Amino acid sequence: VALSTDGNGRYAQLDPFLGGAHAVAEAARNVACTGARPLAVTNCLNFGNPERPEVMWAFAETVRGMGEACRRLGTPVTGGNVSFYNETGVSAIPPTPVVGMLGLLEDYRLLVRSAFRPGAVVYLLGETLPELGGSEYAEVILRNAGGRPPGLDLDRETGLVALLADAARGDLLVSAHDCSDGGLAVALAESAVAGDCGFAVELPGDLPLHIALYAESASRAVVSVATEKVEGFEALAAEREVPFARLGETGGPRMVFAEAFELTVAEARDVYESAIPDLLSIRREAG
């Protein structure tokens, strides 16, 4: 079995319907990246005081979004729980739906991991759109938590999920990693750190650099494919009508993002693994 838990409070705060639907879609995408087929979900729904109309409205919209995504993805809700009254005074937590997705991998030998290995071709599946609302980039860099979350086309999502599972079953993938928080740049970096393997990529399309790197458009994944299987993989993606762009290749000690910037995998790992200890240290010093 494959399991994933996902949820994004930023999205649900901006649009509860989309927040609920995205939680289901991202969980299905993560399960599919292992090669498994999503089967069913459970949930943990966290909200403020439902006696306040705006909280109850957000709850109802979140459930509606989850329901639509589950119906389209064919993943029934087998159970879950709801946690209300998560607030102090008039300050409530963002609407935060968390979805646990169960998937079935029929042959464990065909399990796909997220780690890059040298000598593979890197692809971006799906389309990047100019949308930064609710993203990590907007919150951390722009200091702007407003806007609208990424759109979600459930037909595209189901197509991507089916392609990932079919490609794994055909032993066409070296690695697969969903694109979500942090966008393409973070997905590439996490695969590089996981495999201690660098890459050199070009960015697809003519989008501004910050959007190409950090937009959190839905229904996307980063995969790598052995050179001898490229033709078969591209034919399958075209047959499934999933957009794809060939970005570059894996290998070496450095992560090269076109002509924008580069750094070593070791540097990225140090930042990645020290993030939580550094944050706790800052908070202790601040009292």
Side-chain angles (χ1 to χ4, degrees):
V1 297
L3 298 170
S4 179
T5 56
D6 293 281
N8 191 316
R10 295 188 310 275
Y11 291 179
Q13 188 168 32
L14 296 174
D15 187 320
F17 175 84
L18 277 175
H22 271 293
V24 175
E26 184 182 352
R29 200 180 317 136
N30 272 313
V31 163
C33 280
T34 71
R37 294 189 181 277
L39 293 181
V41 306
T42 186
N43 63 73
C44 176
L45 308 179
N46 307 282
F47 293 81
N49 180 355
E51 298 169 49
R52 293 197 287 120
E54 64 272 23
V55 174
M56 193 62 203
W57 171 82
F59 174 69
E61 284 294 285
T62 299
V63 171
R64 188 169 70 88
M66 291 174 57
E68 181 165 326
C70 285
R71 284 188 289 273
R72 297 288 288 278
L73 289 163
T75 53
V77 180
T78 61
N81 72 286
V82 178
S83 177
F84 282 128
Y85 298 98
N86 294 287
E87 61 179 59
T88 300
V90 295
S91 177
I93 65 167
T96 309
V98 177
V99 168
M101 179 72 68
L102 169 71
L104 175 65
L105 183 67
E106 295 179 355
D107 186 342
Y108 75 92
R109 293 170 298 181
L110 297 177
L111 169 69
V112 179
R113 300 190 183 276
S114 64
F116 281 157
R117 296 205 303 264
V121 179
V122 180
Y123 289 88
L124 172 64
L125 300 178
E127 185 179 3
T128 304
L129 302 174
E131 45 193 3
L132 290 174
S135 67
E136 290 278 359
Y137 181 86
E139 182 173 45
V140 176
I141 304 301
L142 302 180
R143 305 287 184 179
N144 182 352
R148 182 173 172 81
L152 179 60
D153 184 327
L154 289 168
D155 288 335
R156 288 195 171 194
E157 195 69 51
T158 55
L160 175 65
V161 165
L163 170 61
L164 289 167
D166 289 346
R169 188 168 56 183
D171 195 23
L172 296 176
L173 301 178
V174 174
S175 70
H177 191 322
D178 83 304
C179 274
S180 52
D181 287 0
L184 174 61
V186 169
L188 288 166
E190 287 182 339
S191 289
V193 168
D196 193 25
C197 173
F199 58 81
V201 297
E202 297 293 329
L203 301 177
D206 56 358
L207 292 169
L209 180 63
H210 66 293
I211 292 176
L213 287 172
Y214 303 115
E216 296 178 5
S217 299
S219 312
R220 297 185 304 158
V222 169
V223 301
S224 62
V225 180
T227 53
E228 67 273 15
K229 297 182 179 181
V230 160
E231 184 175 346
F233 172 74
E234 291 187 356
L236 181 62
E239 179 185 340
R240 297 290 188 272
E241 299 182 340
V242 175
F244 63 90
R246 183 168 176 163
L247 301 184
E249 297 182 353
T250 61
R254 304 187 69 79
M255 305 190 306
V256 182
F257 293 86
E259 298 178 357
F261 63 92
E262 61 181 86
L263 69 163
T264 68
V265 176
E267 289 169 337
R269 180 186 297 105
D270 288 344
V271 173
Y272 184 77
E273 294 181 351
S274 66
I276 292 178
D278 287 351
L279 179 61
L280 293 176
S281 175
I282 291 171
R283 288 185 173 177
R284 281 196 299 269
E285 292 173 3

